[in-house]
Amino acid sequence: MACPVCGEDRFKTIREIDSTLRAVPAGLDRASHTLVRVDRCTSCGLLRSFELGEPSPRESISFDASATKVRGAGAHSVSSTDELSLLHTRPPASLLDVGCGAGQFLLRATSLGYDALGIDPDSRSVEFVTQDLNLPARKGSLEILGANERFDIITVLGVLEHIAEPVAFLREASAHLSPTGELLVGVPNSASLNRRVSSLSRHDWDMFLEPGHLYHYGPSTLQLVGEHAGLRMLRWSTSTITIRGKVPFSPSRIPAVERLVRSVTTRSKLANRSYIAGLRLLDRSKMGDTVLAVFAPGDNIAF
Ligand SMILES: [Zn+2]
């Protein structure tokens, strides 16, 4: 299978991961046992992961992981860099959130005054967003949009890593931008400090272990995939979510440590501020957990 970003045929296997957790922390979208191979494109450096052996029978864990970000522990989550702060377009403006999940981002965008619509292929997500959150959402992906539907902002957060043909996907998304529209893409950062440190552990990086994750991007491969889709990357940053008391430097997921961090940062304002300040330092060095990039239609750079 050729690299979907640069077209190169050769991938090199860099790791096989055999990871077992006794308890999977809430919000983490993986099976307790997982066997995965990670390959790197020899030309552009794009990473891909494959589940080896029996695929995980877990079609709907994704919704549960997403819903915990809206309820419970997720209610205390803070992003070290606000996704919306990277956009120049201010409310009132129309916003489409592709792959809205349980609506965490939709909820925030709406509360700030954006006219936001979510789409998601999972009917449980759409039901939750429309009925529990009372926000507009439709079931499906980009193909359900009307040919003439345009948005001032399109957000694609935590989606691109699931997409087998990312160039075509971004091209299709950008066709629904208004003339001055901005496309915001967020993906797990394969150049993050978390990934680098995690690679020292036998579990390696969480993001390799999520069965729906096909490709893994860093800032340079994200820019490249955008360029192939005819987009210019205008600006980018990284962000880390404090959800679940996740410890960015921890080489493996230890629920007891996460509970302790969550409990201390929830109870003490000073501890919480220090925790977020630490995460912001990571963003300053562009090594936070998520790459956030804003694109606009640019001169088409063909293959
Ligand atoms: Zn490549």
Side-chain angles (χ1 to χ4, degrees):
M1 214 177 0
C3 172
V5 172
C6 74
E8 170 65 53
D9 286 324
R10 281 168 305 161
F11 276 77
K12 187 172 184 287
T13 296
I14 58 166
R15 184 95 195 241
E16 280 191 13
I17 308 161
D18 187 348
S19 167
T20 303
L21 288 182
R22 249 178 299 158
V24 178
L28 189 60
D29 190 14
R30 55 158 287 179
S32 57
H33 175 244
T34 178
L35 190 60
V36 161
R37 194 183 87 213
V38 183
D39 298 343
R40 182 195 283 125
C41 169
T42 55
S43 176
C44 75
L46 183 75
L47 300 170
R48 69 179 180 196
S49 52
F50 289 101
E51 244 193 303
L52 303 173
E54 285 285 296
S56 308
R58 343 156 311 94
E59 185 207 322
S60 55
I61 288 181
S62 184
F63 170 78
D64 295 328
S66 181
T68 59
K69 293 174 185 166
V70 179
R71 299 185 282 229
H76 303 290
S77 74
V78 176
S79 293
S80 58
T81 295
D82 180 355
E83 296 96 334
L84 290 164
S85 70
L86 291 178
L87 296 166
H88 284 172
T89 312
R90 295 279 157 240
S94 58
L95 183 152
L96 172 73
D97 187 27
V98 181
C100 64
Q104 185 195 26
F105 180 76
L106 270 186
L107 200 57
R108 208 154 51 79
T110 305
S111 73
L112 291 170
Y114 289 99
D115 175 18
L117 166 72
I119 57 175
D120 199 289
D122 184 342
S123 51
R124 293 206 303 156
S125 292
V126 174
E127 201 181 304
F128 183 81
V129 169
T130 53
Q131 292 176 21
D132 293 44
L133 304 181
N134 203 22
L135 294 174
R138 294 187 218 156
K139 183 180 178 315
S141 188
L142 294 167
E143 76 285 347
I144 63 158
L145 297 172
N148 296 319
E149 270 188 284
R150 297 287 181 276
F151 301 87
D152 300 318
I153 298 164
I154 297 179
T155 53
V156 181
L157 302 170
V159 170
L160 203 65
E161 63 273 25
H162 297 263
I163 303 291
E165 294 185 45
V167 172
F169 183 84
L170 289 183
R171 206 184 284 279
E172 197 183 341
S174 64
H176 292 281
L177 281 175
S178 64
T180 57
E182 294 180 282
L183 176 70
L184 173 67
V185 180
V187 284
N189 182 9
S190 67
S192 61
L193 184 60
N194 189 3
R195 190 227 147 181
R196 287 164 206 228
V197 176
S198 301
S199 68
L200 304 173
S201 122
R202 71 186 169 86
H203 300 285
D204 209 307
W205 190 36
D206 291 341
M207 297 297 118
F208 289 145
L209 305 176
E210 297 201 7
H213 286 197
L214 307 175
Y215 294 104
H216 307 272
Y217 302 85
S220 56
T221 40
L222 188 58
Q223 177 169 16
L224 202 58
V225 70
E227 283 176 1
H228 285 308
L231 296 161
R232 256 177 321 128
M233 193 156 105
L234 303 178
R235 61 199 91 90
W236 70 279
S237 183
T238 67
S239 183
T240 301
I241 298 177
T242 66
I243 188 165
R244 322 181 282 262
K246 193 167 73 162
V247 185
F249 309 104
S250 137
S252 65
R253 306 300 305 262
I254 308 167
V257 173
E258 297 191 356
R259 274 197 301 275
L260 179 70
V261 172
R262 187 162 69 231
S263 146
V264 171
T265 54
T266 306
R267 269 182 290 155
S268 155
K269 268 195 183 147
L270 180 65
N272 193 45
R273 268 202 296 250
S274 316
Y275 182 49
I276 293 170
L279 299 177
R280 290 207 173 118
L281 271 183
L282 272 186
D283 293 336
R284 220 165 290 157
S285 51
K286 308 254 181 177
M287 289 204 289
D289 283 359
T290 302
V291 190
L292 296 170
V294 179
F295 292 91
D299 295 319
N300 202 326
I301 301 161
F303 266 70

